[in-house]
Amino acid sequence: MLTIHGVTRSRASRVIWLCHELDLPFRQEPVIQAYRIADADAPDAPMNTRSPGFLAMSPAGAIPVIEDDALVLSESLAITLHLARKHGTDIGPQDYAEDALMGQWSFYAATAIEPDALTILMLHNRGTLQEADDAGLVAEAAERLVRPLKVVDDHLAEHGHLVGGRFTVADLNMAEVIRYAQGHGALLEPFVALRTWLKACQDRPAFHKMWQARLSEPE
Ligand SMILES: N[C@@H](CCC(=O)N[C@@H](CS)C(=O)NCC(=O)O)C(=O)O
């Protein structure tokens, strides 16, 4: 059976959402981020991203990681693309061109959107703006995001989805990355097609199932 290493309050959420979309059974090992534990190196610390046992499997020391038979795979978007390719019906690529486009949108999410969206998650969404510097960083991140979000919004306004006119792993990957910036209402406000699409993605039963599991984990 597929094993997912990583708590749901992490980028493992992407993999778990996809597994629910695919009705794919999995076992979850709740490896937690080291920075969320007071003493990650203590002998009684829970399995975390600095635990020797975890590092032996995945030296990059980050979650999620999957074990899929003999394959050990890290990088959340590589994992979702792999699983969609392997198990996907409509959610995965139907030909090489779709495969390429799903990769294109996923890498765009990871490189053009995720770093600044994470800044917004960390400094804006959590209401931890403590210093004027933080407000400045959020404003700069939001300004940089306008261009890539417009690219996504324009595409969605014309096509409804990112690839193939249907919900695919590309939408899932992009929606999970844009979710980090979702708390910044003013940033997303002009992008009507994007907001409509994001709501539809997050209305999916498989997303809800993942989200409930996420909420049931300690913060
Ligand atoms: N690009 C990687 C990033 C993985 C990553 O940074 N994961 C975070 C949790 S969401 C983590 O494991 N951090 C470990 C730590 O800081 O100790 C991916 O998409 O999987």
Side-chain angles (χ1 to χ4, degrees):
M1 181 187 289
L2 175 71
T3 302
I4 301 173
H5 298 265
V7 292
T8 314
R9 286 185 187 273
S10 76
R11 290 175 178 86
S13 60
R14 303 163 181 184
V15 182
I16 293 166
W17 177 6
L18 181 71
C19 285
H20 292 323
E21 292 284 355
L22 295 170
D23 275 329
L24 187 63
F26 62 89
R27 198 170 64 82
Q28 186 173 7
E29 289 290 341
V31 180
I32 190 165
Q33 295 93 331
Y35 67 80
R36 292 176 59 195
I37 307 178
D39 184 359
D41 300 319
D44 61 347
M47 183 68 98
N48 65 77
T49 48
R50 278 219 311 257
S51 300
F54 179 71
L55 289 171
M57 182 184 64
S58 190
I63 49 175
V65 175
I66 62 161
E67 287 179 86
D68 189 15
D69 296 325
L71 175 67
V72 176
L73 192 62
S74 59
E75 286 300 320
S76 59
L77 303 183
I79 295 171
T80 53
L81 289 168
H82 157 70
L83 291 175
R85 224 178 264 129
K86 181 174 173 184
H87 300 281
T89 49
D90 275 1
I91 211 164
Q94 304 301 300
D95 55 35
Y96 285 118
E98 283 198 355
D99 194 26
L101 289 169
M102 289 175 192
Q104 173 205 285
W105 284 113
S106 301
F107 292 130
Y108 193 58
T111 56
I113 299 178
E114 187 167 51
D116 287 319
L118 268 174
T119 298
I120 289 175
L121 178 76
M122 297 302 181
L123 301 181
H124 176 85
N125 291 9
R126 293 192 176 149
T128 53
L129 285 179
Q130 286 157 3
E131 299 172 16
D133 281 358
D134 288 351
L137 291 173
V138 168
E140 283 169 22
E143 197 179 318
R144 274 192 300 269
L145 279 171
V146 169
R147 191 165 159 268
L149 291 181
K150 182 166 178 356
V151 170
V152 176
D153 184 62
D154 285 348
H155 184 86
L156 290 170
E158 192 175 347
H159 302 283
H161 291 90
L162 292 178
V163 179
R166 63 184 194 279
F167 179 83
T168 70
V169 66
D171 297 290
L172 186 154
N173 285 344
M174 182 65 79
E176 277 292 87
V177 169
I178 292 179
R179 175 165 64 78
Y180 294 155
Q182 206 172 349
H184 195 315
L187 171 62
L188 294 197
E189 207 276 330
F191 303 120
V192 176
L194 186 152
R195 283 192 287 111
T196 305
W197 160 88
L198 188 58
K199 181 174 183 322
C201 291
Q202 295 176 346
D203 278 346
R204 296 178 68 84
F207 176 87
H208 275 279
K209 201 167 168 186
M210 175 280 287
W211 196 251
Q212 286 314 311
R214 189 180 163 101
L215 292 178
S216 71
E217 287 182 357
E219 279 196 57

